[in-house]
Amino acid sequence: MARRDPLTYDVIGAAMQVHQRLGHGFLEAVYHEALAIELTQRQVPFRQEVHLPITYREQILKTVYRVDFICYDTILVELKAMKKLGSSEVAQTLNYLKAGNFAKGLLINFGATSLEYKRFISTPQK
């Protein structure tokens, strides 16, 4: 059996606490703010609303992605507040992983009756 990553578990645990306290139905911005409080309470290091530059042929494009959180400087975290996650939200998270060259990512949805999350593992490019 594979070992679980304690860092992603910390972030998921914080999200579970937020969902337990607030439930579903709020705007994404509410969950974003509440998760920042919960991560701080749990002493999880994070940055929020981080701009990820996109490069093409070694040139940085004017367009940038904005990711909701980066936790422990290694885990990209994207938040949603919708009834169900779909393929476009998964694709968005995968693009963020690639743009930011991250190995781990979490897509967390607070909009469902039960907290919904997906873990992603990517191979960072050199």
Side-chain angles (χ1 to χ4, degrees):
M1 186 169 163
R3 293 185 60 167
R4 300 289 184 185
D5 177 18
L7 302 182
T8 57
Y9 267 75
D10 287 349
V11 178
I12 293 167
M16 286 180 172
Q17 181 65 31
V18 169
H19 195 271
Q20 180 182 0
R21 287 178 177 260
L22 292 178
H24 65 284
F26 288 99
L27 294 173
E28 182 181 319
V30 172
Y31 296 110
H32 188 132
E33 195 172 342
L35 184 59
I37 293 168
E38 191 64 34
L39 291 170
T40 300
Q41 289 288 313
R42 293 170 180 245
Q43 299 181 347
V44 172
F46 68 92
R47 294 179 286 145
Q48 50 186 326
E49 304 213 5
V50 178
H51 287 165
L52 301 178
I54 304 164
T55 58
Y56 177 76
R57 291 184 177 256
E58 289 86 39
Q59 292 185 25
I60 296 176
L61 303 179
K62 291 178 186 175
T63 303
V64 296
Y65 284 143
R66 183 194 53 80
V67 65
D68 291 318
F69 289 95
I70 296 175
C71 297
Y72 295 107
D73 286 326
T74 60
I75 304 167
L76 181 141
V77 181
E78 183 61 19
L79 304 183
K80 298 294 176 194
M82 50 199 328
K83 288 186 180 185
K84 183 142 180 71
L85 292 174
S87 59
S88 62
E89 292 77 33
V90 169
Q92 177 187 21
T93 305
L94 291 172
N95 286 334
Y96 285 8
L97 284 172
K98 184 176 179 182
N101 207 28
F102 285 92
K104 293 186 268 186
L106 291 170
L107 174 57
I108 301 173
N109 182 26
F110 290 97
T113 305
S114 295
L115 184 75
E116 186 179 10
Y117 62 89
K118 294 183 183 289
R119 285 190 184 95
F120 297 91
I121 303 294
S122 176
T123 304
Q125 298 180 4
K126 295 180 182 182

